Amino acid sequence: MHNKTIAELSAGLEAGEFSSVELTQCYLERINSLDEQLNSFITVTAERALEQAKNADAQRAAGNAGILNGIPLAQKDIFCTKGVKTSCGSRMLDPFISPYDATTINKFNDSGAVMLGKTNMDEFAMGSSNETSWYGPVKNPWKQDAVPGGSSGGSAAAVAARLAPAATGTDTGGSIRQPASFCGITGLKPTYGRVSRYGMIAFASSLDQAGPMTRTAEDAALMLNVMAGMDPRDSTSVDEAVPDYTANLNDSMQGLKIGLPKEYFSQGLDDSVAKVIESALQEYEKMGAVIKEISLPTSNLAVPTYYIIAPSECSSNLSRMDGVRYGHRCEDPKDLNDLYIRSRGEGFGPEVKRRILVGTYALSEGFYDAYYVKAQKTRRLISNDFNQAFNDVDVIMGPAAPSTAFNIGELTDDPITMYLSDIYTIAVNLAGLPGMSIPAGFVNGMPVGLQLIGKHFAEAKLLNVAHQFQQQTDWHMKVPASFK
Amino acid sequence: MQWEVVIGLEIHVQLSTKSKIFSGASTAYGAEPNTQACTVDLGLPGVLPVFNGEALNKSVMFGLAVGAQINERSVFDRKNYFYPDSPKAYQISQLYYPIVGEGYIDIDLEDGSQKRIGVTRAHMEEDAGKSLHENFHKQTGIDLNRAGTPLLEIVSEPDMRSAKEAVAYMRKIHSIVRYLGISDGNMQEGSFRCDANVSLRPIGQEEFGTRAELKNINSFRFVEKAINVEIERQMDILESGGSVTQETRLYDSQKNETRPMRSKEEANDYRYFPDPDLLPIVISAEEIEAIRKTLPELPDAKCARFMQQLGLSEKDAKALTVDRDMADYYEQVQQAIGDAKMAANWILGDVAAINNKNGLEFKDCPVNAEQLTGLLKRIKDNTISGKIAKEVFEAMFSGEGSGSEGDADTIIDKKGLKQITDTGAIETIIDRVIADNPGQVAEFQSGKDKLIGFFVGQVMKASKGKANPGQVNQLLQKKLRS
């Protein structure tokens, strides 16, 4: 049962092969017995899940079950869930029980989906390896010495290890696509504004976007059908019609114009990863796609631009965690300053502090124009590059990450190299475009992801392109040996 | 040395929207602490602001009323600082692209001349909550009901040269926002507050002196006192060869002194940057014009009309139009009785006096326009004299009557105050007065004309003020000279 996709599970529920309660129990048992090895969940909400499953079964019996009715899902612990600890991977929010549901959680609840629990993540989504979590690192199911990627590492590991059929993630600079690549699953970061950010704890507001992390592109389409849409509570969500993302999955690849940015295949890319990407591209050529070299000349500006904008926004977004109203508060504060300094000093880990400091510096008087304003200008240039490229091609492809998963502890003392592991994903966030990572092969037993980048609101096209690849290949069907 | 005072004001006006500027919570004043603060106002993790368009309409109305440029694109910025009553640890404000650009108003100086004061800009922002220091032993309570209340901050040019000018400017802005109906202007509840930047420079010098900012002054009287006491303080420093420190100071109305709140060294770097949770506010020229059409007649225009159409003096017209409630009251009474001068005299005289004496705003005057209309009609038709009318008015003020135009008649009847206009009845009284005062009669008849006042007084007294004074005079003259 645990090797089925959402589409298959939904059909099984509808055919009465098993109930949602049975399905939920199956996954809860897997989590119970296997997650010790991975640490992919921060909170498992077993009781609540079984309650939801019971309701879902009743709903199905009453004849009004949608596709996701009764399907167990894991939610990244960045989404506020009413009555459940919502930690965002931080000691700061370890005591925080959210009094409200994020819009995404509401939508899944309304769809009848079951929440298995909340997945581990880099603290406040700041990290590329899941090592910054207050709850400890997550292990990669393919090799437990390796990181699962981050920040949605818990979600990626849980889906790869079949501890959940699918999960949610969020992506500010690659936090869905890079762990999807490292864990060999399908991850979609939608267009900025496609999915509501309400109730999703903000890291960098102008970049954050939630999306599905699944086994297949078809499942990602089913998830996005629920998640997408304008939300009156989020002014940055866009009032753009939501299509049925499954409708065009089977469109032909004949004549599809694929752009390969030459900058993505130059220095820094692991040779064996490059080979995997090249063979994936050959699959597309076989299906009738046309491949064309393009240039994104400002690619080298993406990482520095991101590391001004994202820390600047996070330095302000995280200021509300001050120990006054909720979250961690230090013991016996002497006065107000002591309360702030110790609560925040104890509540935040080193990577979060590093980014708050960088952002605070970049926004300070005298530096604002040189850093923040300039970064906004280069952000515009990066965006223009993509717009230019999309005049000639339908979709851009390349690696999702420069290497396969590195080992736990390997890069913790080298933040710059760690930051560079998001080099191919970050520009997509800066431009607000949709991007995916899909399993494309292996190097030394570790998965490699192919990144697909689309035009604004072209999620249906990306899902179609990904689905067609998955009709020809079975990389996405591979299961890590210890989790079969 | 001769010093010139330079003052600029920042006025915070609470916009009278039903819900907050970025959330659906109510803005009503005086609720139990933290009962009007929703998840957004509490700054919970994950919440997002959504802009209330009503605040935009009201801000644009203000901009148009002061002849300002309305910026078709304005942007919300975050002003970052830690304080317990600032739940997000930043205030959403507009620094770089405010909604209202440069404008001006004209104020009246004491010598009767006018002075133009520049409005630099006005921008929308959210208010903070309140820290409560009483009733919490060694602790501070936080009430977030006010957090997120919409404010319009109106920044003036440093154009004012005395505390009196500053007060005149503040009153004019107050008058305009009340006319526009964009704020209740209630100073006790903090809906209209002022920060004053005060500095001195030697007369003739172009360059400004170092300024001190006086924070949160919430009455016209205190603005004048605070500025004057700050001018004296700075003058003492400068005269004795010292220099003024740039700092924020607080006015203590009880001690009538200003003292430092925080100095420049401790000043915050607010790290302003555009709020990524909110889109730029865009308003088209057509939308601005549509708002312009909703503007009411403003005090200057109304004053000019009162002078032209109704023949009022400039002094009366100005006095009647400062407060929109007074002007509306006046117009209602004036139209009903058809006597612009009489209505003006009463409203600026007796009505204003008794309100002032009781510390009432015009809108809270217990005698409404219908009641006053009924009263003035009875003066005009000689049912009562002006003097008796004051007695009836006082009865109304102390709550007699039902608030309708008929109240005057009811009170006149009940108290038997109707004027005696019956010649026979007046003659009877006159005859008695003449009979009782033979000595004065003889003196009058021997040429001491001034005594007529004595006889009128006696007759009025005997009639308890009810005899028609004109008739009394006429009949007395006739009888005494016969």
Side-chain angles (χ1 to χ4, degrees), chain A residues 11 134 154 170 243 275-276 354 370 401 475 480:
Chain A
W134 165 249
T170 62
K275 284 204 181 74
V276 170
R354 177 162 28 232
W475 305 115

Side-chain angles (χ1 to χ4, degrees), chain B residues 245-263:
Chain B
T245 315
Q246 186 179 333
E247 62 188 355
T248 303
R249 298 179 70 86
L250 199 67
Y251 175 65
D252 181 336
S253 59
Q254 270 165 1
K255 294 185 181 156
N256 193 36
E257 62 174 32
T258 68
R259 57 167 178 269
M261 250 172 93
R262 49 175 184 256
S263 71

Side-chain angles (χ1 to χ4, degrees), chain A residues 100 199 316-317 320 325-326 365, chain B residues 42-46 78 80 87 269:
Chain A
Y100 77 102
S316 174
N317 283 334
R320 67 184 61 190
R325 284 145 298 127
Y326 50 78
E365 211 174 321
Chain B
L42 294 173
L44 288 179
R78 292 185 184 177
N80 295 284
D269 176 352

Side-chain angles (χ1 to χ4, degrees), chain A residues 80 93 96 99-100 192 196-202 204-206 232-237 312-313 315-322 324-326 336 340 344 359-361 363-366 368 372 376, chain B residues 22 38-51 73 77-90 95-96 138-139 142 144 268-279:
Chain A
C80 284
L93 290 182
F96 179 62
Y100 77 102
Y192 183 77
S196 170
R197 293 188 296 114
Y198 188 78
M200 183 179 125
I201 298 173
S205 313
S206 73
R233 288 177 183 275
D234 175 3
S235 314
T236 63
S237 70
S312 294
E313 292 181 9
S315 72
S316 174
N317 283 334
L318 266 57
S319 294
R320 67 184 61 190
M321 322 283 168
D322 58 6
V324 173
R325 284 145 298 127
Y326 50 78
L336 183 59
Y340 285 149
R344 288 169 65 78
T360 302
Y361 182 82
L363 291 176
S364 323
E365 211 174 321
Y368 177 74
Y372 188 81
Q376 290 294 5
Chain B
F22 299 117
C38 66
T39 48
V40 174
D41 307 321
L42 294 173
L44 288 179
V47 298
L48 297 170
V50 175
F51 179 57
R73 185 176 178 278
D77 299 299
R78 292 185 184 177
K79 177 183 182 179
N80 295 284
Y81 66 98
F82 285 98
Y83 204 69
D85 60 22
S86 170
K88 300 184 296 297
Y90 59 81
L95 177 70
Y96 298 106
K138 285 189 165 178
Q139 287 185 314
I142 305 295
L144 294 176
N268 276 309
D269 176 352
Y270 291 119
R271 293 172 283 122
Y272 280 97
F273 75 107
D275 191 330
D277 287 333
L278 290 160
L279 303 177

Side-chain angles (χ1 to χ4, degrees), chain A residues 12 15 37 67 104 111 211 339 350 392-393 400 406 441 456 478:
Chain A
Q37 300 171 53
I67 286 273
T104 292
S111 78
L339 170 78
D392 299 326
V393 298
F406 44 86
H456 286 112
K478 306 281 187 209

Side-chain angles (χ1 to χ4, degrees), chain B residues 18-74:
Chain B
K18 284 198 185 66
S19 56
K20 293 183 178 178
I21 185 165
F22 299 117
S23 85
S26 164
T27 55
Y29 178 83
E32 283 294 302
N34 299 312
T35 55
Q36 288 179 176
C38 66
T39 48
V40 174
D41 307 321
L42 294 173
L44 288 179
V47 298
L48 297 170
V50 175
F51 179 57
N52 176 355
E54 202 37 45
L56 176 65
N57 285 342
K58 290 183 155 59
S59 303
V60 170
M61 284 175 83
F62 174 79
L64 294 172
V66 299
Q69 165 78 32
I70 304 300
N71 294 317
E72 292 184 19
R73 185 176 178 278
S74 68

Side-chain angles (χ1 to χ4, degrees), chain A residues 56-364:
Chain A
D57 284 335
Q59 230 179 344
R60 188 173 296 277
N64 45 15
I67 286 273
L68 290 191
N69 183 82
I71 303 290
L73 299 174
Q75 302 288 354
K76 187 175 180 180
D77 206 21
I78 199 169
F79 293 100
C80 284
T81 35
K82 193 173 176 177
V84 176
K85 177 162 98 173
T86 300
S87 75
C88 221
S90 180
R91 182 185 185 191
M92 180 57 92
L93 290 182
D94 183 65
F96 179 62
I97 308 290
S98 175
Y100 77 102
D101 278 324
T103 297
T104 292
I105 298 293
N106 263 329
K107 288 186 162 193
F108 280 121
N109 286 343
D110 290 348
S111 78
V114 171
M115 183 175 89
L116 294 167
K118 310 287 294 289
T119 54
N120 204 343
M121 55 183 285
D122 278 300
E123 184 178 8
F124 286 106
M126 297 174 200
S128 308
S129 65
N130 221 301
E131 292 167 289
T132 72
S133 170
W134 165 249
Y135 301 91
V138 176
K139 319 281 170 56
N140 191 313
W142 294 94
K143 187 176 102 181
Q144 292 183 27
D145 302 339
V147 303
S151 67
S152 311
S155 290
V159 174
R162 277 51 173 167
L163 305 187
T168 52
T170 62
D171 189 319
T172 305
S175 282
I176 286 175
R177 290 159 289 157
Q178 184 253 25
S181 172
F182 282 11
C183 291
I185 64 163
T186 300
L188 167 63
K189 180 205 94 78
T191 308
Y192 183 77
R194 177 75 292 184
V195 175
S196 170
R197 293 188 296 114
Y198 188 78
M200 183 179 125
I201 298 173
F203 161 16
S205 313
S206 73
L207 301 161
D208 296 344
Q209 188 61 204
M213 301 181 78
T214 55
R215 304 257 309 285
T216 65
E218 184 185 17
D219 283 1
L222 293 172
M223 295 269 283
L224 190 60
N225 276 348
V226 172
M227 298 173 80
M230 138 91 179
D231 179 4
R233 288 177 183 275
D234 175 3
S235 314
T236 63
S237 70
V238 179
D239 194 4
E240 172 90 17
V242 179
D244 174 358
Y245 289 106
T246 61
N248 294 84
L249 290 176
N250 292 315
D251 287 1
S252 159
M253 295 291 95
Q254 196 64 48
L256 179 83
K257 284 180 273 179
I258 297 172
L260 291 189
K262 59 178 184 204
E263 293 80 3
Y264 286 19
F265 293 88
S266 57
Q267 55 179 26
L269 177 63
D270 186 285
D271 285 343
S272 41
V273 170
K275 284 204 181 74
V276 170
I277 300 302
E278 277 155 27
S279 62
L281 293 165
Q282 283 162 14
E283 281 299 330
Y284 278 106
E285 281 184 312
K286 277 191 237 160
M287 288 187 274
V290 184
I291 294 179
K292 194 179 161 186
E293 188 182 84
I294 58 163
S295 176
L296 297 171
T298 55
S299 292
N300 62 329
L301 298 177
V303 171
T305 299
Y306 176 87
Y307 277 99
I308 296 298
I309 291 174
S312 294
E313 292 181 9
C314 97
S315 72
S316 174
N317 283 334
L318 266 57
S319 294
R320 67 184 61 190
M321 322 283 168
D322 58 6
V324 173
R325 284 145 298 127
Y326 50 78
H328 178 75
R329 181 187 282 190
C330 66
E331 294 279 340
D332 300 321
K334 281 200 308 288
D335 55 26
L336 183 59
N337 263 339
D338 187 44
L339 170 78
Y340 285 149
I341 290 167
R342 282 202 288 131
S343 299
R344 288 169 65 78
E346 294 162 7
F348 293 137
E351 181 60 28
V352 170
K353 284 178 189 163
R354 177 162 28 232
R355 298 199 195 190
I356 289 174
L357 285 172
V358 169
T360 302
Y361 182 82
L363 291 176
S364 323

Side-chain angles (χ1 to χ4, degrees), chain B residues 307-360:
Chain B
M307 287 163 66
Q308 258 177 11
Q309 249 177 36
L310 306 176
L312 294 186
S313 70
E314 187 176 351
K315 183 165 164 276
D316 285 357
K318 277 214 166 111
L320 282 167
T321 50
V322 169
D323 178 353
R324 183 180 180 176
D325 294 310
M326 188 194 257
D328 289 348
Y329 188 108
Y330 168 74
E331 284 217 85
Q332 197 183 333
V333 174
Q334 183 279 125
Q335 277 164 14
I337 67 166
D339 189 335
K341 188 68 196 157
M342 183 190 209
N345 287 345
W346 264 85
I347 289 168
L348 292 173
D350 293 85
V351 184
I354 200 162
N355 279 340
N356 286 343
K357 201 174 117 195
N358 289 280
L360 293 175

